[in-house]
Amino acid sequence: MEEKNKGLNTICTHVGELEDKQYKGAISPLYMSSSYAFDDVDVKRYPRYFNTPNQEGLCKKIAALEHTESALIFGSGMAAVSTALMAFLKAGDHVVLQQTLYGGTYNLVTEEFSKYGIEFSFTKGWEAKDFQEEIKGNTKVIYLETPSNPLLTITDLAAVASLAKNKGIISMIDNTFASPVNQNPVDFGIDIVIHSATKYMGGHSDICAGAVASSSENINRIFQLAKNFGGSLSDYTVWLLERSIKTMGLRVRAQNENALKMANFLNDLDDIDAVYYPGLPTHTGHDVAKRQMKGFGGMLSFELRPYVDASVFQKSLKLIKSSMSLAGVESTVLSPTQTSHALMSPEVRAAQGISDGLIRFSVGIEEPEDLMADIGQAIKKAKLETAIASDK
Ligand SMILES: *Cc1c(COP(=O)(O)O)cnc(C)c1O
């Protein structure tokens, strides 16, 4: 059966599963072996060669989910990002990266690339023309994120892909925020798709992993470096990730629905200045998002009005936790000013549209009414405390 023709939840549940020939168990057996005989087979299986039975099975599932020929799984999202980038860059090459990058990727580029003689530029905005402006004669890779962190900006995938193709440049996307449920960038011409599987693929805040999906030719090129860098994932975690992805379609679609409800709820509150969610018709990227996304995702952000103290608000939440990570079945929030963007100067933050009252919200699968009640009581408490503090 052609795997690409199966529906989302069928791929999530079944593609790449291993058959338990010995006991006929319902799920993939876990092969923890790090040593495989090669007397009668020519494949030398070894965890760091990315070819144990469980790794190969899960790679098939991820490739089917992203509509690609092939995939690789890594020990973390950053192992996937760094290996994919380095596989296509060498000394003297140049890469164009989106300005609003995931913090770890920004650190990788700014702290490491100069050591290897790799040049880089950041875009000034997130539109295709912003990428075009930074392209030089030696540009080999364009790297983007859409929806981006934390303002959920939307970049036109088809436009960036055709820009890259015309110039013979490889295009790469960090597709973590959308997940393969909501966005398949390869369908719009993007070459390489990267995920932090720690997020929606894992979905339960108990796995750290990464994935790259692309053509077999690109994946083979990345593999050649990956086996030397050694960023493979433990087979136990591979097995756990396979189990998690079985429910990814159900989880993410529930999160899409909840996020839209929460975005509308927040939009109607007087104590909220702005809501950033690509599913809202008022969002700057709504029309492009409608074209390239199947769902608008579970991530949104909102700005509390200046008279609502953001840290009191966060501390007052009872059901929703404050957390650095995202995409779990549980709802979490964070303040970019106090965490991911704390090291930036207030001016740089302001230039990127990140105010002190901005809250990033990873919407979980709880009942939306309970999330609304929690936010309502936390705003009330934060307003009261802010009022008392200003009276003193
Ligand atoms: C978390 C994250 C990463 C890095 O993934 P790790 O699994 O933490 O290494 C990369 N990109 C995005 C968008 C992320 O959210």
Side-chain angles (χ1 to χ4, degrees), residues 201-377:
M201 286 188 178
H204 296 74
S205 308
D206 55 7
I207 284 175
C208 183
V212 179
S214 188
S215 65
S216 298
E217 189 187 341
N218 287 338
I219 289 297
N220 187 48
R221 181 159 169 175
I222 295 167
F223 162 72
Q224 295 304 330
L225 183 65
K227 70 178 191 330
N228 294 337
F229 273 3
S232 57
L233 186 62
S234 122
D235 274 295
Y236 176 69
T237 313
V238 170
W239 178 84
L240 209 53
L241 185 55
E242 186 209 342
R243 200 271 301 260
S244 298
I245 294 178
K246 285 177 198 265
T247 57
M248 181 173 65
L250 297 175
R251 283 187 277 110
V252 172
R253 282 170 175 171
Q255 284 166 305
N256 289 346
E257 255 181 57
N258 271 4
L260 184 59
K261 283 184 190 160
M262 295 311 295
N264 281 315
F265 164 77
L266 291 161
N267 219 11
D268 289 342
L269 291 184
D270 290 337
D271 301 315
I272 306 275
D273 245 344
V275 179
Y276 302 94
Y277 184 62
L280 292 178
T282 49
H283 189 276
T284 51
H286 181 65
D287 290 334
V288 180
K290 257 196 324 205
R291 244 191 351 254
Q292 64 193 25
M293 299 182 79
K294 288 171 261 191
F296 299 111
M299 298 299 300
L300 61 91
S301 56
F302 57 93
E303 260 164 46
L304 293 163
R305 289 204 192 267
Y307 58 81
V308 187
D309 186 280
S311 67
V312 180
F313 166 77
Q314 274 185 276
K315 283 186 198 120
S316 306
L317 289 166
K318 290 176 178 155
L319 181 64
I320 304 168
K321 296 185 181 111
S322 286
S323 160
M324 270 304 263
S325 203
L326 58 109
V329 289
E330 73 285 2
S331 290
T332 60
V333 289
L334 72 70
S335 150
T337 301
Q338 288 165 16
T339 55
S340 53
H341 295 66
L343 297 179
M344 282 179 182
S345 69
E347 293 75 33
V348 175
R349 270 201 303 267
Q352 295 199 6
I354 297 165
S355 72
D356 288 351
L358 187 74
I359 302 287
R360 191 187 75 186
F361 187 6
S362 169
V363 184
I365 62 166
E366 301 94 338
E367 297 301 330
E369 295 71 23
D370 294 329
L371 299 174
M372 291 172 193
D374 197 26
I375 287 174
Q377 66 82 24

Side-chain angles (χ1 to χ4, degrees), residues 35-46 49:
S35 170
Y36 292 84
F38 54 91
D39 48 358
D40 57 351
V41 276
D42 55 4
V43 194
K44 293 172 184 65
R45 291 191 192 276
Y46 186 60
Y49 294 163

Side-chain angles (χ1 to χ4, degrees), residues 74 79-89 172 192 194 212 222 225:
F74 290 84
V81 169
S82 57
T83 312
L85 276 168
M86 297 305 267
F88 288 89
L89 293 167
M172 286 187 198
I192 295 171
I194 304 171
V212 179
I222 295 167
L225 183 65

